[in-house]
């Protein structure tokens, strides 16, 4: 029983520390947005990947970096309206 409680406490601690881990009330849109933001941040943070994208898009690296930063605002578009039951 103590192991289950300890595992639950560790999960709650992770969820408060890292936003991308999510929690029971995380919507699909929030989760996908977090995944996209993490990916874009990784692309920006790794110069080799950024160079790869800039060659693929035929754009300067700084322009691609700024496009990725702009995409991080709403990577998946606005959230859908909740349907009321």
């Amino acid at each position: 029983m103590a192991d289950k409680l300890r595992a639950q406490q560790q999960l709650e601690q992770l969820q408060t520390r890292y936003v991308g881990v999510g929690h029971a009330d995380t919507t699909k849109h929030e989760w996908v947005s977090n995944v996209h933001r993490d990916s874009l941040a990784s692309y920006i943070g790794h110069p080799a990947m950024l160079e790869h994208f800039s060659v693929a898009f035929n754009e300067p690296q700084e322009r691609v970096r700024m496009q990725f930063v702009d995409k991080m605002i709403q990577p998946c578009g606005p959230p859908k309206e909740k349907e009321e039951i």
Side-chain angles (χ1 to χ4, degrees), residues 9-26:
Q9 288 173 343
Q10 289 175 345
L11 179 62
E12 289 174 3
Q13 187 179 27
L14 278 175
Q15 289 170 342
T16 57
R17 186 180 301 162
Y18 303 109
V19 176
V21 175
H23 50 81
D25 297 328
T26 302

Side-chain angles (χ1 to χ4, degrees), residues 15 19-37 76-83:
Q15 289 170 342
V19 176
V21 175
H23 50 81
D25 297 328
T26 302
T27 65
K28 181 179 179 181
H29 183 268
E30 290 172 338
W31 186 80
V32 171
S33 294
N34 285 334
V35 170
H36 281 278
R37 282 191 187 105
C76 300
K80 293 182 180 177
E81 295 295 324
K82 292 184 179 180
E83 295 180 11

Side-chain angles (χ1 to χ4, degrees), residues 24-74:
D25 297 328
T26 302
T27 65
K28 181 179 179 181
H29 183 268
E30 290 172 338
W31 186 80
V32 171
S33 294
N34 285 334
V35 170
H36 281 278
R37 282 191 187 105
D38 288 346
S39 298
L40 290 168
S42 178
Y43 302 154
I44 292 169
H46 291 88
M49 292 181 76
L50 190 63
E51 184 178 1
H52 176 80
F53 281 110
S54 68
V55 169
F57 295 149
N58 196 24
E59 296 280 343
Q61 280 188 346
E62 275 306 308
R63 185 170 292 164
V64 173
R65 181 189 321 266
M66 289 309 299
Q67 288 173 353
F68 285 169
V69 169
D70 290 341
K71 268 189 196 178
M72 289 176 75
I73 296 170
Q74 278 192 332

